[in-house]
């Protein structure tokens, strides 16, 4: 059962009301109920006067002090998180510079090496972080525009899923010795992806206390689910990079596939950032999460390059696996929230336009090959 945002908000409001301070005067302070016409005894009155524990003003002061301390702690955590994020970005830039393979990069006269394969996969992963750049000029998003953003992200993810399914079903390589057709292998992978993402969502829903930085509850579970799905589909893309370098066309095909994925990863990073930024994630942290979703590309490119014949039969399964998981998140998470924040027409138009633009970009990249 899919829980909508309004249902989660109603549950949270109910918990807040249940946890509010009890402002009733304690029995010890008010004394026993006096008979009709009797005045409270001086002793009882004095006790009620000096016992401030049940005083609403006293409770309000305590609550105000607690809120100010909580706000100060959140600000300190936010500043620390920002410093860590900038440090990680500097580390990523240093790795990019330090691992540059020099004159062997893109040289058609040389056979590809493990170093060059890794570096092309790494550049492809780093490019995902540039998806945050278009959102750097937006300070704050209202609920309506959050819904529009979710619809755009869903359209992009649907386009990516469609491309994964097509690539898996039409997969062909002379070195593929599997007796099972690519269509069946892709369908098996899709079913496995759906079951896997349902199990992952069930696990996250059963751990409501999960926390990432200053986020907790439903927002954290949503972010982890989307980041997890986008990371899964990068495994198959990493295998694609390694296989392309290890195939018969070698360097030429590998360079083209890597460059295509690098361009393709920018709108995918945008789709991830669109989901993260409205949930109070900083732009630097969102860029890091975008890169994290593509880190499997260099990590999987190297073993796929070394053991190219072993990885080929599994490639359609991996493509279907990632496509099925991504399609579920697009429909059952992002589109549902977009409809709640906007309306059916806005959700349909925004997601359809994003789907069309993404498919057009992918088609342009393929036509230029």
């Amino acid at each position: 059962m899919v829980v909508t945002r309004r249902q989660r908000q109603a549950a949270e409001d109910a918990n807040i009301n249940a946890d509010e301070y009890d402002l009733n005067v304690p029995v010890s302070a008010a004394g026993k109920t006096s008979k009709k016409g009797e005045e409270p005894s001086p002793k009882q009155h004095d006790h009620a006067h000096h016992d401030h524990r049940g005083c609403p003003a006293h409770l309000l002061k305590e609550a105000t002090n607690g809120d100010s301390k909580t706000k100060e702690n959140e600000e300190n955590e936010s500043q620390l998180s920002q410093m860590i994020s900038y440090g990680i970005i500097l580390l990523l830039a240093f790795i990019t510079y330090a691992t540059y393979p020099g004159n062997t990069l893109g040289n058609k006269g040389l056979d590809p090496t493990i170093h060059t394969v890794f570096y092309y996969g790494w550049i492809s992963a780093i490019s995902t972080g540039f998806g945050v750049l278009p959102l750097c000029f937006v300070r704050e998003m209202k609920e309506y525009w959050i819904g529009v953003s979710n619809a755009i992200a869903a359209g992009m993810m649907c386009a990516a899923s469609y491309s994964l399914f097509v690539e898996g079903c039409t997969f062909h390589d002379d070195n593929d010795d599997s007796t099972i057709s690519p269509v069946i292998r892709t369908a098996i992978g899709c079913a496995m992806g759906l079951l896997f993402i349902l199990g992952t969502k069930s696990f996250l829903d059963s751990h409501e206390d999960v926390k990432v930085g200053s986020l907790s509850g439903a927002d954290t579970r949503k972010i982890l689910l989307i980041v997890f799905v986008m990371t899964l589909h990068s495994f198959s893309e990493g295998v694609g990079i390694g296989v392309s370098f290890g195939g018969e066309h070698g360097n030429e095909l590998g360079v083209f596939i890597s460059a295509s994925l690098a361009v393709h990863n920018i709108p995918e990073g945008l789709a991830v950032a669109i989901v993260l930024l409205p949930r109070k994630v900083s732009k630097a942290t969102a860029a890091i999460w975008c890169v994290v979703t593509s880190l499997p590309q260099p990590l999987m490119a190297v073993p796929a390059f070394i053991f190219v014949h072993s990885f080929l039969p599994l490639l359609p399964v991996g493509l279907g696996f990632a496509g099925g998981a991504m399609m579920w998140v697009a429909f059952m998470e992002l589109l549902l929230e977009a409809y709640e924040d906007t309306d059916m027409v806005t959700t349909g138009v925004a997601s359809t336009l994003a789907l069309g633009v993404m498919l057009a970009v992918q088609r342009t990249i393929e036509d230029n090959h």
Side-chain angles (χ1 to χ4, degrees):
M1 178 180 178
V2 179
V3 181
T4 65
R5 175 183 292 179
R6 290 192 179 94
Q7 290 173 331
R8 290 196 301 267
Q9 186 63 42
E12 291 175 1
D13 291 342
N15 290 334
I16 291 173
N17 292 333
D19 294 336
E20 285 181 345
Y21 286 105
D22 184 5
L23 299 181
N24 294 326
V25 179
V27 176
S28 60
K32 296 182 180 179
T33 305
S34 60
K35 294 181 181 180
K36 185 176 182 180
E38 292 183 359
E39 295 292 335
S41 65
K43 184 178 180 181
Q44 291 174 336
H45 176 75
D46 182 70
H47 181 69
H49 176 73
H50 292 288
D51 189 357
H52 297 289
R53 291 174 298 174
C55 176
H58 180 68
L59 294 176
L60 180 60
K61 183 178 180 181
E62 289 183 349
T64 304
N65 292 336
D67 291 341
S68 61
K69 290 181 179 179
T70 302
K71 187 176 181 179
E72 184 179 352
N73 291 335
E74 289 179 353
E75 291 178 354
N76 292 335
E77 289 182 2
S78 178
Q79 292 177 357
L80 179 61
S81 177
Q82 282 285 84
M83 292 176 62
I84 294 175
S85 298
Y86 289 131
I88 294 175
I89 290 176
L90 290 175
L91 177 62
L92 295 176
F94 174 76
I95 294 175
T96 304
Y97 174 78
T99 57
Y100 178 68
N103 295 330
T104 60
L105 191 64
N107 193 330
K108 296 182 180 180
L110 298 176
D111 291 331
T113 63
I114 294 177
H115 190 181
T116 55
V117 171
F118 172 83
Y119 193 77
Y120 272 108
W122 177 259
I123 292 298
S124 179
I126 291 297
S127 67
T128 314
F130 291 101
V132 180
L133 292 179
L135 300 177
C136 289
F137 306 99
V138 180
R139 290 188 176 182
E140 188 175 353
M141 300 177 68
K142 296 182 179 180
E143 186 176 279
Y144 176 84
W145 292 109
I146 293 175
V148 173
S149 300
N150 282 330
I152 293 174
M156 290 181 171
M157 292 180 71
C158 286
S161 299
Y162 172 78
S163 299
L164 291 171
F165 289 142
V166 171
E167 188 176 351
C169 292
T170 59
F171 175 76
H172 174 74
D173 193 285
D174 295 335
N175 295 318
D176 182 14
D177 55 1
S178 176
T179 57
I180 304 175
S181 70
V183 176
I184 296 178
R185 280 181 281 173
T186 304
I188 292 173
C190 179
M192 292 171 60
L194 289 172
L195 292 175
F196 185 80
I197 203 63
L198 287 174
T200 302
K201 186 178 186 303
S202 177
F203 174 80
L204 291 175
D205 288 342
S206 63
H207 292 74
E208 297 183 355
D209 57 343
V210 63
K211 185 176 181 181
V212 175
S214 60
L215 296 174
S216 60
D219 280 340
T220 303
R221 295 195 296 273
K222 179 81 65 179
I223 288 174
L224 289 177
L225 186 65
I226 292 172
V227 169
F228 192 56
V229 167
M230 298 300 287
T231 304
L232 281 177
H233 107 281
S234 293
F235 278 90
S236 57
E237 291 182 343
V239 172
I241 292 175
V243 168
S244 63
F245 274 105
E248 54 183 343
H249 299 289
N251 239 3
E252 183 180 355
L253 180 61
V255 170
F256 169 77
I257 294 297
S258 301
S260 300
L261 282 175
V263 176
H264 170 79
N265 282 346
I266 295 176
E268 287 189 355
L270 176 62
V272 175
I274 283 174
V275 177
L276 296 180
L277 292 182
R279 290 173 169 82
K280 308 301 180 182
V281 177
S282 68
K283 295 177 177 64
T285 305
I288 293 172
W289 278 114
C290 291
V291 174
V292 167
T293 61
S294 294
L295 282 183
Q297 292 178 11
L299 298 179
M300 293 301 299
V302 172
F305 169 69
I306 298 173
F307 307 103
V308 59
H309 295 290
S310 301
F311 275 86
L312 278 175
L314 298 176
L315 189 55
V317 179
L319 293 170
F321 186 96
M326 194 181 301
M327 188 71 74
W328 190 95
V329 170
F331 276 96
M332 303 307 294
E333 295 286 340
L334 296 179
L335 282 179
L336 185 61
E337 284 201 1
Y339 170 70
E340 291 176 358
D341 292 336
T342 58
D343 53 68
M344 185 175 293
V345 175
T346 303
T347 301
V349 171
S351 59
T352 303
L353 287 176
L355 173 67
V357 171
M358 190 75 168
L359 289 176
V361 171
Q362 293 173 350
R363 180 63 60 87
T364 302
I365 294 174
E366 292 174 357
D367 292 342
N368 290 333
H369 175 41

